[in-house]
Amino acid sequence: MNRWCLSINGFIRGRAARPGLFIRERADLKNPTVEEVLKNAVERLDAAGIDDPAVDAAFLLTHLLKLKRHELFLEPRRKLTHEEAATFEGFVERRAAREPAQYITGECEFRGLAMSVTADTLIPRPETELLVDSALAAAAWFADAAPLVAIDLC
């Protein structure tokens, strides 16, 4: 993939862009496809040492395009707009800097519910869902007794 920036009039500026997606500024140049941006994002995240770069790249792109994960792979040649490509590049850059993907998207799923998150909130771990499920199962044993009260001590 070309890693040089083109100015609006099409001349090469003479400096390499930071490694990553190549955002084309001329209207006559083709927009990147889902397949191209995913491939590039996986390479960047892998180079940054992200544990599962393909999952993270797909997660960020599905959030941006408001698609389900399988829809990305059904339409690999779908063109992204320049704005979508630029936003996705920003997402990948932030993730490569080790910012959690949930903070980038601003949401996290917990027990099937979409929850808003910011840098001021903790992201629930998968083990927390298991703990809640176990607590609810244990609470069912006491359903006939007095009402249960749960206290969060964090």
Side-chain angles (χ1 to χ4, degrees):
M1 178 170 255
N2 189 346
R3 297 197 193 281
W4 290 89
C5 281
L6 295 178
S7 67
I8 291 176
N9 63 8
F11 293 103
I12 295 176
R13 290 184 182 155
R15 66 174 178 82
R18 67 183 180 278
L21 301 177
F22 177 63
I23 306 304
R24 296 162 180 89
E25 298 174 351
R26 284 184 45 179
D28 61 330
L29 293 176
K30 72 176 188 81
N31 291 9
T33 64
V34 165
E35 185 176 42
E36 291 170 341
V37 297
L38 273 178
K39 180 179 181 274
N40 191 287
V42 169
E43 290 172 2
R44 284 186 63 200
L45 295 176
D46 188 43
I50 300 299
D51 286 337
D52 204 343
V55 171
D56 281 2
F59 176 76
L60 294 171
L61 193 56
T62 56
H63 173 78
L64 175 69
L65 300 178
K66 297 181 181 12
L67 298 173
K68 296 195 182 333
R69 182 176 160 82
H70 72 274
E71 292 175 316
L72 282 182
F73 304 105
L74 292 175
E75 300 181 61
R77 302 231 185 316
R78 174 187 171 177
K79 304 279 187 190
L80 274 66
T81 65
H82 294 298
E83 293 79 20
E84 289 170 337
T87 301
F88 185 63
E89 180 177 2
F91 284 0
V92 172
E93 190 172 299
R94 290 170 62 187
R95 185 64 190 117
R98 302 244 180 228
E99 183 176 350
Q102 295 88 341
Y103 289 159
I104 297 168
T105 62
E107 62 184 47
C108 175
E109 188 174 312
F110 182 74
R111 298 194 77 237
L113 301 171
M115 305 176 81
S116 294
V117 294
T118 67
D120 299 326
T121 58
L122 295 175
I123 299 167
R125 296 170 50 140
E127 296 85 6
T128 306
E129 289 190 22
L130 293 173
L131 180 64
V132 169
D133 290 340
S134 296
L136 290 174
W141 286 43
F142 301 102
D144 295 334
L148 294 176
V149 176
I151 300 172
D152 182 0
L153 299 176
C154 294

